[in-house]
Amino acid sequence: MDFDALRRAMAENHEQPEGPARNARAEHLLSEAEKLDIPLAVIEALGHQLKVYNYSSEKDKMFVPFARLLRMWDERPEDFDEYETHSLHWVFKWMSSGMLGQPHIPLASIEKWLGEMEHRYRLAGHSERAVRSAEFSVAAHVGDLARAERAYAAWLAADRDSMADCHACELHGQGWWRALRHEDAQALELWRPVLEGEHACAHEPHTTLASSLVPLLRLGRLDEARVHHLRGFRLVRHMESMRGAYADHVEFCALTGNEARALELLAERPAYFTDSGEPRSLMDFLAVVALLMGRLTSLGLGSQTVPGPVGRTWTAGELAAHARGEALLLAARFDERNGTSYVSGQVRERMEGQPLAERLPLGVRAARTVVAARPPAPATRAPVGEPDLATLLAEARRLSEALHPDSVAAWAAVARAAGEEEGELDVRDRAEIADHEAMGLGPDGVELFERAAELYAEAGDPGEALAARARGAYVLGLTGRSDEALAAVAEPYERVGALFSEGRTGVWQTASVCVGRARILLQRVHEVDDGEDAEGAGVEGAADALPGEGPGTRAREAFAAAEAAARELLDLAGPHTADVRLASRAAEAQAMLGELAAHAGDAEAAAELLTRATEAFVAAGLPWFAVEYEARLTGIARHLGDAEGAERAARAALEHGGPYLEAPGRAQLHLQLAEVLGSTGQFGPAAEQALEAAHWADEAGEGATLGAWARHQLGGFLVRRGRWAEAAEVLESALPELTVPMHGDGAIVQTLWWLGDCLAELGEHREAAERRLQAAEIARHWPEQRDHAMLAHLAAEALGHAGLPAEAERAYERAGDLWRSLGNVHGLVRSLRARAWIAVSEEGAGLDAARQLMATAALECDTALPEAEDDDGRLQLAAELAHTHRQFGDLIARQTTDDTDGDSMRAGYEEALAHVTRAVTGFASLGDAGLHSRTGAELAAGWLEADLGRTDAAAARARGVLAAYAETDDDPNGTDGTDETDGTDGTDGTAVSRRAEAQSLLRVTAAEG
């Protein structure tokens, strides 16, 4: 291996993932360098080795190569070139921070090293800024807060020079100090330029995002904290050296009710439990593990199996004790070295942290489920201090008469308070207990309703007995046995009518029977329709049916019966709405008529009736009954194109459901509202609702079904907002649980597509290509092939950006074939142009191949232009042709270099100019829409004219550009927008930059003339 090969090998190794493999390669390369007998080769190899050690779990190894480098400098500084001289002084800073993280290095040695660093920096003429920053780190670590403040002030006061840390790293350190002092708002203001992307480096904003999590939680800025977690964890996930930042993300999860996600994070990095190369980050990690395990234990989950150090199985309780003990042992070693108790105090404070948010949905799925602790079984008798039986009875009766959702629980409390001494309750009380217990059981309560009916009859209330039997019949119908249910309700319905006409029962009891019967008949409408749909219109034997019994007859009869029952209920209860109970029956009758109207396809009538029903429920003080119908009203309003009405209904359902909604229903409502908001472009609010939907789906145990769909939607809304890192985390979380039978292959393709876009925006081009190719493989089997073509094209783009030209060429060729088969000239031409740019980078015949591809692209446009169906189509093709000639000219010009002989160079520039001139003409034909593209081509032609020595022609083109903008503002819409490679989107001062370039061209031509 010669020196050049060594340098290439070190550069390649630098790009490898952090870890022992990269470190071992660096050690091997040092051995190779030592064979060359070139001092600079050894210096560079030692520097490379030091860098990879610093950014790994083996930080303790970096002191040896540094000591050797320093000795070489002291003996022969002339062996160091300018870069290596700078690097040697730069890594002095790493030594001081590295020593702090190693408790076996005495504090006196660290202080001595600070003095050595200050001395050498002074000799080299460097500012003391980096020295004071290092002094600050030492003082803050040992807990000498007064000295730390002095060093902090001196650090900021000293001049920035080439030895100062980058702006991003300095701001992180400054904000970290403010956060340590609980000056959270000041910390976040210091971090703002890093968090907003103004300053960045290889490890920023990674650490700043992690450090900001707890300060944001303490300030109550929960949405920002969630965003920073999703953005930041993605950055540190695969970086071995960032155990401390990783621990911050685990801590965040433990403090926000996301223990399940915290466990997933631990499972991803088992080596973090034991890597000992940097004891300080190990201590921080173990402290956070102890915090998390303590949290699980406090939730009653101490016996749950959790990820831990390899070699054995751990429960949360066992790992809590182990992590706490190990963290405190490490802290004690630091304190012994430092002569203080400061580190142990910090570790204890972190391990004993309390949740800062009861529930902070993240939008991502945690595969490891943390099962909520089971509440203790209720006592059979009311304990001392609890309400007595009479009070409980009064409260239960009040709630049941108000039709309150808590009435079932209230009667259950009565039953528990009475215990086995039911003698304290009269028959009516026992009837209500049985009745409400049956209500809580749903379809399993049929027999208990019968028992309640017997008790009501024994209590002398035959009407309520019949109502209980009707309720039993209705829950029987919920199991799909509507025929049995109708038979069961027939006698109560007939008898209650007779009792009511005789004055032996009231309107309420009669309405209760009628509503049960109406509900069964409504359910039967759906069952009959489903049955007839399954049989089909042409069932065998239909021709032999008796008159009036053909297909559809049963459905019409069922519909008519249900409608009649609903109207009967409305006529009965409508005049008595002063009674809240009967008001609820009248409102439900309206809702039933609305459902029937929707079933019949009359959406307008359905919306009107359901609106009346929901308003009636709310007016009666029964908003919880409105929720079901508001949810249906949301769907109907969307069908009618009434987005505002749909949003209003969905929000009302969530508001009225309040604490009474079960998790599945809450998830459905949030998702419904998310889809409504998304359909009107309100992507921010839509994302908030989809986030809630995902959370409640997980709570309901439907994470793999409804939750996966909610995450799919959430990811899409985040994509539309350009929040790429968050969207990528959410979409990656959704993808494993999206299935074709449950969600459809379209959802899977869309998720992969969005994810590919996110990864491309994040610079992860190889991964973006993989996702797009996965989506393309699914879309390949679809009848319509446009998505397949687009995905293949996007995959090719990503492969090109990933530095894989051969793979990109194949993908573009595949996309081109698909575009051709679809008759899509624009896609075909763009794929041909992209292939030309790939070909031109090849040696040998690459330029010839590129020319041929560009020529084919131009020919495709020329051929399609006469066949365009309308003016818009012709304009778009004209723009595509102009872009092709512009790129053709650029391609030739770039290949005409100073190495080209004089005649060939001139011929190349002439050929390029001919194409660019055709581009100018093409863009000019577009009028104002092609202004920026035309002036860009005009200037390119001007520079070529100048290269050919035609200064007058070049100047004329420049003046033409100035004239084009003389009376034109920088119009953000002044672009044809037809080519992704044009780069002139009409924004960001395009006109200003064009004028400036034209003036520059004029100055050049004037000088040359």
Side-chain angles (χ1 to χ4, degrees):
M1 183 180 289
D2 61 20
F3 198 0
D4 288 340
L6 175 69
R7 283 174 163 165
R8 287 195 298 272
M10 288 189 293
E12 290 170 1
N13 193 46
H14 180 75
E15 298 302 319
Q16 296 304 305
E18 297 175 349
R22 186 170 74 156
N23 295 353
R25 176 64 173 161
E27 292 162 5
H28 171 74
L29 292 175
L30 175 60
S31 300
E32 292 294 321
E34 289 168 338
K35 298 174 184 177
L36 295 177
D37 195 26
I38 301 174
L40 185 58
V42 175
I43 290 167
E44 291 185 11
L46 284 167
H48 173 65
Q49 189 181 75
L50 196 156
K51 289 182 179 71
V52 299
Y53 283 155
N54 185 59
Y55 295 114
S56 76
S57 62
E58 298 179 308
K59 285 181 183 285
D60 54 336
K61 291 184 176 182
M62 69 180 177
F63 303 107
V64 172
F66 181 74
R68 186 175 172 187
L69 274 171
L70 195 58
R71 185 171 63 252
M72 293 176 72
W73 168 262
D74 288 338
E75 292 173 353
R76 290 180 55 85
E78 64 272 18
D79 289 340
F80 288 70
D81 62 14
E82 183 179 356
Y83 177 81
E84 293 302 332
T85 300
H86 178 274
S87 296
L88 177 68
H89 286 81
W90 181 268
V91 296
F92 264 89
K93 300 177 295 183
W94 296 358
M95 295 305 108
S96 59
S97 62
M99 289 176 180
L100 280 178
Q102 305 292 333
H104 68 279
I105 299 178
L107 186 61
S109 298
I110 298 173
E111 294 286 4
K112 181 180 178 182
W113 182 258
L114 271 178
E116 178 75 9
M117 179 180 174
E118 183 172 8
H119 171 68
R120 288 180 180 267
Y121 272 40
R122 189 180 300 115
L123 287 177
H126 297 307
S127 164
E128 67 172 11
R129 188 177 181 94
V131 178
R132 298 285 76 84
S133 174
E135 181 189 3
F136 160 76
S137 298
V138 173
H141 170 69
V142 302
D144 188 345
L145 304 186
R147 182 188 178 193
E149 283 287 10
R150 291 193 301 272
Y152 181 88
W155 166 23
L156 269 60
D159 292 336
R160 278 189 57 84
D161 68 351
S162 62
M163 283 298 114
D165 283 339
C166 75
H167 284 290
C169 289
E170 282 207 332
L171 288 172
H172 173 257
Q174 293 161 21
W176 171 84
W177 177 240
R178 301 270 70 91
L180 185 71
R181 310 304 295 272
H182 281 231
E183 298 168 2
D184 296 325
Q186 295 93 318
L188 287 160
E189 181 57 28
L190 282 165
W191 287 330
R192 183 183 53 76
V194 181
L195 296 172
E196 293 180 359
E198 185 179 334
H199 302 301
C201 69
H203 287 74
E204 290 295 350
H206 314 43
T207 52
T208 298
L209 285 164
S211 296
S212 72
L213 295 172
V214 169
L216 285 168
L217 292 175
R218 289 196 295 241
L219 290 171
R221 292 159 62 174
L222 304 186
D223 288 343
E224 290 175 72
R226 177 182 61 248
V227 170
H228 287 200
H229 169 64
L230 294 178
R231 277 182 62 200
F233 182 68
R234 184 171 193 84
L235 294 173
V236 304
R237 168 179 266 153
H238 302 297
M239 299 182 72
E240 187 197 45
S241 65
M242 304 203 74
R243 177 164 54 185
Y246 200 98
D248 291 340
H249 287 280
V250 177
E251 179 183 36
F252 164 81
C253 294
L255 297 177
T256 56
N258 288 288
E259 296 86 0
R261 177 160 171 86
L263 291 176
E264 276 202 336
L265 269 55
L266 293 187
E268 285 190 29
R269 280 290 185 179
Y272 275 172
F273 287 97
T274 52
D275 283 344
S276 58
E278 190 190 25
R280 183 161 59 169
S281 70
L282 175 60
M283 176 184 69
D284 291 339
F285 182 77
L286 290 172
V288 166
V289 171
L291 164 69
L292 172 61
M293 298 306 147
R295 176 75 183 141
L296 292 174
T297 302
S298 71
L299 292 172
L301 299 169
S303 60
Q304 178 167 318
T305 301
V306 294
V310 296
R312 58 161 288 186
T313 300
W314 296 88
T315 66
E318 292 167 344
L319 188 54
H322 170 80
R324 184 179 184 85
E326 291 296 310
L328 288 173
L329 279 174
L330 284 167
R333 289 179 60 198
F334 282 108
D335 283 341
E336 182 181 4
R337 188 269 303 275
N338 299 339
T340 69
S341 60
Y342 182 75
V343 174
S344 293
Q346 294 292 103
V347 168
R348 284 193 171 89
E349 181 180 342
R350 193 169 197 183
M351 291 191 297
E352 293 162 7
Q354 295 300 307
L356 295 171
E358 181 180 350
R359 179 185 73 87
L360 179 56
L362 301 179
V364 292
R365 177 85 165 119
R368 290 175 176 268
T369 304
V370 174
V371 182
R374 190 178 296 275
T380 55
R381 300 283 297 184
V384 176
E386 292 292 318
D388 60 20
L389 183 59
T391 301
L392 290 171
L393 269 170
E395 177 64 5
R397 188 154 286 118
R398 181 188 71 80
L399 291 172
S400 59
E401 288 176 356
L403 303 181
H404 197 280
D406 288 342
S407 60
V408 172
W411 281 105
V414 170
R416 289 195 300 272
E420 297 179 0
E421 300 178 18
E422 286 195 3
E424 298 182 29
L425 301 173
D426 62 25
V427 176
R428 176 73 188 207
D429 296 333
R430 285 185 278 124
E432 296 220 43
I433 288 172
D435 200 4
H436 283 83
E437 184 181 352
M439 293 178 196
L441 292 173
D444 295 330
V446 175
E447 293 183 4
L448 202 53
F449 275 123
E450 193 62 37
R451 171 62 180 156
E454 293 171 358
L455 291 169
Y456 281 127
E458 186 179 340
D461 191 342
E464 199 62 56
L466 294 171
R469 288 177 61 193
R471 286 189 281 275
Y474 169 60
V475 297
L476 181 66
L478 292 178
T479 64
R481 297 150 64 188
S482 61
D483 288 339
E484 293 179 49
L486 274 177
V489 81
E491 183 188 356
Y493 172 68
E494 184 177 342
R495 287 183 58 195
V496 81
L499 288 174
F500 181 64
S501 64
E502 295 167 6
R504 295 170 56 196
T505 195
V507 178
W508 163 246
Q509 290 85 352
T510 307
S512 295
V513 175
C514 288
V515 77
R517 177 173 175 270
R519 289 170 180 170
I520 295 168
L521 287 167
L522 184 60
Q523 178 68 24
R524 184 172 174 75
V525 169
H526 298 293
E527 286 184 18
V528 170
D529 262 12
D530 290 344
E532 292 199 346
D533 286 345
E535 292 173 12
V539 292
E540 187 175 346
D544 299 326
L546 295 173
E549 293 186 1
T553 301
R554 290 179 64 231
R556 289 192 296 272
E557 290 175 349
F559 185 95
E563 184 178 31
R567 294 197 181 281
E568 178 187 29
L569 175 62
L570 183 60
D571 291 343
L572 177 65
H576 307 283
T577 52
D579 182 334
V580 65
R581 300 177 301 170
L582 290 167
S584 77
R585 296 301 184 229
E588 186 170 355
Q590 291 272 20
M592 288 178 177
L593 291 170
E595 289 195 60
L596 287 167
H599 188 81
D602 190 346
E604 289 85 355
E608 182 180 349
L609 288 162
L610 287 172
T611 299
R612 284 187 211 162
T614 57
E615 290 173 349
F617 279 125
V618 174
L622 304 168
W624 44 83
F625 287 138
V627 174
E628 175 184 357
Y629 305 111
E630 285 164 337
R632 294 179 190 174
L633 186 56
T634 301
I636 292 171
R638 288 187 69 187
H639 174 74
L640 291 171
D642 181 8
E644 185 178 339
E647 180 182 347
R648 185 168 55 248
R651 290 193 184 279
L654 282 166
E655 177 188 350
H656 294 149
Y660 312 114
L661 276 171
E662 297 289 338
R666 189 175 293 277
Q668 290 278 9
L669 285 173
H670 279 296
L671 186 55
Q672 198 173 23
L673 179 54
E675 291 172 346
V676 170
L677 293 167
S679 69
T680 58
Q682 301 177 69
F683 300 126
E688 294 172 7
Q689 296 299 324
L691 178 66
E692 288 291 329
H695 168 78
W696 287 109
D698 291 344
E699 289 287 302
E702 297 182 15
T705 51
L706 181 60
W709 181 254
R711 273 179 274 279
H712 162 81
Q713 294 279 43
L714 172 59
F717 297 139
L718 291 171
V719 165
R720 290 176 175 90
R721 299 191 68 200
R723 292 165 63 167
W724 310 110
E726 298 165 64
E729 283 292 302
V730 171
L731 294 167
E732 285 175 345
S733 176
L735 199 54
E737 292 177 327
L738 290 171
T739 64
V740 173
M742 178 60 65
H743 306 99
D745 57 0
I748 297 172
V749 167
Q750 183 64 81
T751 301
L752 288 164
W753 194 326
W754 281 331
L755 183 53
D757 291 348
C758 293
L759 296 170
E761 292 288 342
L762 294 169
E764 301 174 32
H765 298 294
R766 186 187 293 263
E767 295 79 6
E770 289 175 1
R771 295 304 191 181
R772 288 166 171 174
L773 288 171
Q774 288 175 0
E777 183 59 27
I778 298 172
R780 183 170 68 87
H781 303 286
W782 292 355
E784 210 291 314
Q785 287 288 285
R786 188 181 186 282
D787 286 339
H788 182 199
M790 181 61 75
L791 285 162
H793 197 114
L794 290 171
E797 284 184 7
L799 289 165
H801 287 303
L804 300 168
E807 292 85 347
E809 155 66 24
R810 289 195 294 272
Y812 274 125
E813 186 174 12
R814 172 186 177 186
D817 290 343
L818 289 165
W819 290 130
R820 189 185 297 278
S821 70
L822 290 167
N824 188 315
V825 178
H826 299 283
L828 171 60
V829 167
R830 294 181 187 194
S831 67
L832 288 166
R833 291 200 303 252
R835 291 174 63 196
W837 284 108
I838 293 172
V840 82
S841 64
E842 300 174 1
E843 296 181 2
L847 181 57
D848 291 338
R851 287 172 183 271
Q852 182 59 49
L853 287 162
M854 281 291 187
T856 303
L859 179 61
E860 292 289 347
C861 290
D862 280 327
T863 303
L865 260 171
E867 301 173 3
E869 296 180 357
D870 52 35
D871 290 342
D872 285 344
R874 277 187 290 276
L875 284 173
Q876 290 174 9
L877 283 168
E880 203 71 75
L881 179 58
H883 281 297
T884 301
H885 282 297
R886 170 64 196 272
Q887 291 191 41
F888 205 161
D890 288 346
L891 184 147
I892 294 167
R894 291 184 194 181
Q895 294 305 303
T896 306
T897 65
D898 293 339
D899 297 333
T900 310
D901 65 72
D903 290 342
S904 298
M905 180 185 295
R906 186 169 189 84
Y909 284 150
E910 291 283 9
E911 184 183 2
L913 178 60
H915 284 292
V916 177
T917 300
R918 289 190 65 179
V920 170
T921 304
F923 288 131
S925 72
L926 304 177
D928 291 341
L931 173 63
H932 293 316
S933 296
R934 176 175 67 80
T935 54
E938 193 81 72
L939 288 167
W943 290 111
L944 287 168
E945 300 270 26
D947 287 334
L948 289 165
R950 301 169 187 166
T951 54
D952 290 345
R957 290 186 185 274
R959 285 191 291 270
V961 170
L962 291 173
Y965 290 114
E967 298 179 359
T968 306
D969 292 330
D970 190 10
D971 179 9
N973 297 312
T975 177
D976 58 285
T978 59
D979 194 85
E980 70 279 11
T981 61
D982 179 48
T984 56
D985 60 358
T987 60
D988 301 328
T990 303
V992 173
S993 66
R994 291 283 193 272
R995 292 187 192 108
E997 188 179 352
Q999 294 286 3
S1000 177
L1001 179 55
L1002 281 174
R1003 286 193 295 272
V1004 169
T1005 55
E1008 291 179 354

